[in-house]
Structures are given as structure tokens and as C-alpha cells.
């Protein structure tokens, strides 16, 4: 690989690793002059990378979002994680199986042989729950956008036009649901996302309402009267995407907060059992409540530490 091309890839990798980079620090890391950094940044811009200049005493650069998706650079672990996530996409109920398969083929084609071999040995058969219904990715994106913008939604549902203030996009039992304030019925309602056909444009902005504990609300709506109520109910925030967590939460609530965090509410017969259920996800945990759940995590930490010491 020509030296300049290799240097451009190194520069791109650095720009992707953090938000802001002082120009002098980039030059130091790449062992080039600040003038060469400026030239290389211009070359990356010509290739479609939206790199913004940062004003200030030090100056610097930032890789911003653009109008098109430019080529991306992944390290080995990121590439493997991406391939695994694409194989599991069938379990999300988001209707992205075909797109995920094409994306996996694209990723495999550009992988180094050492990584391609690792992926070939990891063949996952992802089975969706029989009761799950596919929600269109476009619908999920439209609902999520309206929630974040706090804009009234107009949509067709069960052959009727509905108007609602969207508040939460959640999964329950393998399906996606919208939790919204129904403007015509003046009450909270849950709508199956796979039955929603959004209309455009969206309505005016609204002031979000207080629903309270969304986990308790959804649980009360979906749990049958014959199903015993689990005595210990808790809620956490996981540093993991909702689509990765949802397939493994069968009797609970998963709400997407952003691309890398989700809120999870579940129940169990004891507080330590509930804490252990949350701990099975390979992600950082922030306890929302109640205090008994936080105490259970402390109890498990002591127990696990003693087990490791033995």
C-alpha cells in the first residue's frame, strides 16, 4: 500500500476514535507535519468524509455526520461484533433480515482473510419467536423520530385514522409497540408497530406528558389476569442497543433510549435473582430502582467477590 494511502487510513481511524482532535496532536500521532495533516484531511473530504475544522487557539478536526454514508473503518473486534449482530438480526422483529444478510455479505467481502475465517467458524442460527410480527424499519424510524421531536403522529390503524402523542417505542414478547397518548380517546394507549401506517406530515409539537413508570404501565396492559405477578419488579439502563437486548427479554419491557442504551424492566421471585437476570447482559448497568434492587446488586457483588477469592 502506498505510504500516503496507509497514512490516510490511519488518520481516518483516529478521527473515528474520538469526537475532537487538535491538529497538533494528530500530527504528533501520525509523525507528520501539521501542513501534511491539512492536505490529508482535504483528501479525505474529496472521498466523501465530512470533516469539519474546529476553531480555537489549538485548532483541530472533527468527523461529522454527512448526507451520504462514506466507507467506514473497523478494527478486528468491531468487525467481528458487527458480523455477529447481523446474524442475530432475525430475532429483533424489525423486518431487516434481507438488508442484514446483504450487509453481512458486504462486510465479509472486504474482511481480511484472518477475520473471514473467524466469522466462518461462527455460524449462528438465529430463530425468531413464532409469535413475533415484523415491523417495517421505516415505520420504526418514523415512530422514533416523532418521539424525539415530540410531534403529533397521524397514522392508519385497524382501518381507522388515529392521532396520538408518541412517547415510547418498546418491545414486549417479540413485538414492537408504540406507547402514546391517544388524542381522540384522551387516554394512554399501546399500538402494535407492525399495524401502524404513518401519515405525513406529522402534526404540531406537543409537551410530553407524565406517564409514570412505563414498565409498570406496559406490564399491567399485557400481563393476563391468570398470570401470577412476580413480587420483585425492577428497572435498569443497559449500555447496549435495544435490538440486541430485546430477543432475550421475554417477560419484560425493553425501551430504546438511543443507539447504544436501552431501559429494561423485568420481574423475578427474589431481588438477587432479578439482579442476576440483569447481570447476564454483557453491558454496564445503571440501576433506576427500586432500592431493593440496588441492595441486591451489592449482595451479589459481595458473594461473587468471595467466590472469586476462593
Amino acid at each position: 500500500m502506498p505510504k500516503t494511502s496507509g497514512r490516510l487510513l490511519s488518520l481516518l481511524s483516529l478521527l473515528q476514535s474520538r469526537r475532537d482532535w487538535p491538529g497538533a496532536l494528530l500530527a504528533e500521532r501520525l509523525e507528520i507535519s501539521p501542513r501534511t495533516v491539512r492536505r490529508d484531511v482535504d483528501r479525505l473530504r474529496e472521498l466523501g468524509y465530512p470533516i469539519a475544522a474546529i476553531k480555537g487557539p489549538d485548532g483541530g478536526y472533527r468527523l461529522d455526520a454527512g448526507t451520504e454514508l462514506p466507507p467506514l473503518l473497523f478494527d478486528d473486534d468491531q468487525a467481528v461484533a458487527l458480523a455477529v449482530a447481523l446474524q442475530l438480526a432475525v430475532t429483533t422483529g424489525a423486518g431487516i433480515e434481507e438488508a442484514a444478510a446483504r450487509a453481512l455479505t458486504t462486510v465479509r467481502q472486504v474482511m481480511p482473510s484472518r477475520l473471514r475465517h473467524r466469522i466462518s467458524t461462527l455460524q449462528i442460527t438465529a430463530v425468531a419467536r413464532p409469535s413475533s410480527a415484523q415491523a417495517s424499519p421505516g415505520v420504526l424510524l418514523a415512530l422514533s423520530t416523532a418521539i424525539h421531536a415530540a410531534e403529533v403522529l397521524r397514522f392508519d390503524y385497524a382501518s381507522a385514522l388515529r392521532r396520538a402523542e408518541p412517547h415510547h417505542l418498546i418491545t414486549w414478547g417479540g413485538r414492537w409497540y408504540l406507547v402514546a397518548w391517544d388524542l381522540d380517546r384522551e387516554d394512554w394507549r399501546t399500538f402494535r408497530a407492525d399495524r401502524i401506517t404513518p401519515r405525513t406530515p406529522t402534526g404540531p409539537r406537543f409537551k410530553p406528558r407524565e406517564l409514570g413508570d412505563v414498565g409498570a404501565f406496559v406490564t399491567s396492559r399485557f400481563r393476563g389476569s391468570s398470570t401470577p405477578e412476580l413480587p420483585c419488579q425492577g428497572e435498569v439502563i443497559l449500555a447496549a442497543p435495544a435490538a440486541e437486548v430485546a430477543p432475550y427479554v421475554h417477560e419484560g419491557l425493553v425501551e430504546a433510549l438511543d443507539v447504544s442504551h436501552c431501559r429494561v424492566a423485568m420481574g423475578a421471585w427474589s431481588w438477587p435473582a432479578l439482579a442476576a437476570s440483569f447481570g447476564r447482559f454483557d453491558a454496564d448497568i445503571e440501576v433506576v430502582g427500586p432500592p431493593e434492587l440496588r441492595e441486591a446488586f451489592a449482595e451479589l457483588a459481595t458473594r461473587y467477590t468471595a467466590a472469586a477469592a476462593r
Side-chain angles (χ1 to χ4, degrees), residues 11-34:
L11 173 58
L12 178 59
S13 179
L14 290 174
L15 289 172
Q16 290 180 166
S17 65
R18 56 186 277 185
R19 180 169 176 80
D20 296 331
W21 275 96
L25 183 56
L26 280 175
E28 179 182 342
R29 292 288 295 271
L30 296 171
E31 299 182 349
I32 57 178
S33 68

Side-chain angles (χ1 to χ4, degrees), residues 4 14 33 45 55 60 81 86 108-109 129 132 141 145 167 192 208 220 226 250 252 264 273-274:
T4 300
L14 290 174
S33 68
R45 287 169 174 162
K55 297 181 180 179
L86 290 172
R108 285 175 56 89
Q109 285 176 342
R129 300 185 69 189
S132 65
L141 181 60
T145 301
H167 282 70
R192 277 179 50 172
S220 66
S226 61
H250 303 308
V264 183
L274 181 58

Side-chain angles (χ1 to χ4, degrees), residues 300-310:
L300 287 185
T302 301
R303 187 179 304 169
Y304 291 163
T305 300
R310 299 190 190 101

Side-chain angles (χ1 to χ4, degrees), residues 171-186:
T171 65
W172 178 277
R175 290 194 178 102
W176 289 87
Y177 292 89
L178 173 70
V179 179
W181 176 266
D182 192 314
L183 292 171
D184 298 319
R185 291 159 177 78
E186 296 187 347

